[in-house]
Amino acid sequence: MTRVLITGFAPFGGERVNPSWQAASLVAAEPPTGLSVAAAELPCVFGESLDALRDAVRATAPDLVLCLGQAGGRPGVTVERVGINMDDARIPDNAGRQPIDEPVVPDGPAAYFSTLPVKACVAAMREAGVPAAVSNTAGTFVCNHVAYGLGHLVATQFPHVRGGFAHVPWAPEQVPDGQAPSLPPATVAHGLRALLATAARTPADHDLKVTEGATH
């Protein structure tokens, strides 16, 4: 049985919920067949989030790690291709920290690519009826901090682990006026189960050869 760690964030920016943690909890409560899934909530704080992630990886000894974050305004689940070595916070994190143009890891490489088959994961979610796309930017807030930090952990401390990051849209309760895209966490969780099942059986170097690029 493949062991999976899935993480989501605590609410931030004045929100009462974070759909990344809502969806992660649902997946852990009802995992895909053949997968054992543990969930961990990460603080939306630079530095502390990576400490919590490292502790969760050590505690659960996963084969696969999927970290989730909220991307308000995106219409579907977006699987991140890359995390960059840059913290540039437009708003403070939950501890009031607001780094500007600071590296996630001093002297670390410029970027880490996901070791999940991002295009196959997107295709699996679409087949499950959940809107999804490949994303080439995880931003420069705590989500990217964790996306890059996970890549660094895999490269330097846990080479047997494969991992990646995905963003989820707002939950409907966060946009009661309906003026922005949203997805119910249960729908997101349904797509994530398909993502994880596909990732578990598909090495990154066997990803689909299909166009998922962008012109800007």
Side-chain angles (χ1 to χ4, degrees):
M1 182 170 289
T2 300
R3 298 185 303 275
V4 175
L5 170 65
I6 188 169
T7 73
F9 280 108
F12 72 97
E15 298 282 355
R16 295 187 303 106
V17 298
N18 191 315
S20 67
W21 176 239
Q22 291 175 311
S25 300
L26 291 171
V27 174
E30 190 178 340
T33 301
L35 274 61
S36 171
V37 181
E41 185 181 50
L42 305 183
C44 189
V45 178
F46 290 100
E48 292 179 19
S49 54
L50 295 186
D51 293 339
L53 175 60
R54 184 185 303 106
D55 290 345
V57 172
R58 287 173 174 163
T60 60
D63 304 299
L64 197 68
V65 178
L66 177 65
C67 296
L68 304 175
Q70 171 188 296
R74 292 189 184 181
V77 180
T78 49
V79 183
E80 300 297 340
R81 194 195 300 258
V82 61
I84 63 172
N85 194 13
M86 178 63 65
D87 291 334
D88 189 10
R90 182 176 56 82
I91 61 173
D93 67 12
N94 283 356
R97 300 171 186 169
Q98 193 172 4
I100 298 174
D101 298 343
E102 296 181 10
V104 180
V105 177
D107 300 320
Y112 283 110
F113 285 93
S114 174
T115 52
L116 303 183
V118 294
K119 294 181 178 180
C121 288
V122 165
M125 284 188 287
R126 289 174 180 165
E127 187 174 347
V130 178
V134 173
S135 169
N136 295 301
T137 175
T140 54
F141 195 51
V142 187
C143 286
N144 175 76
H145 186 80
V146 166
Y148 181 90
L150 172 62
H152 192 70
L153 286 175
V154 169
T156 61
Q157 297 185 40
F158 304 101
H160 62 286
V161 175
R162 292 192 296 133
F165 194 98
H167 272 110
V168 307
W170 275 319
E173 66 188 280
Q174 295 175 285
V175 285
D177 61 3
Q179 296 301 304
S182 66
L183 281 178
T187 300
V188 173
H190 177 65
L192 294 175
R193 293 185 187 99
L195 182 161
L196 290 173
T198 296
R201 65 174 181 264
T202 310
D205 59 1
H206 284 67
D207 202 1
L208 297 178
K209 294 296 183 182
V210 296
T211 299
E212 288 287 347
T215 58
H216 60 278

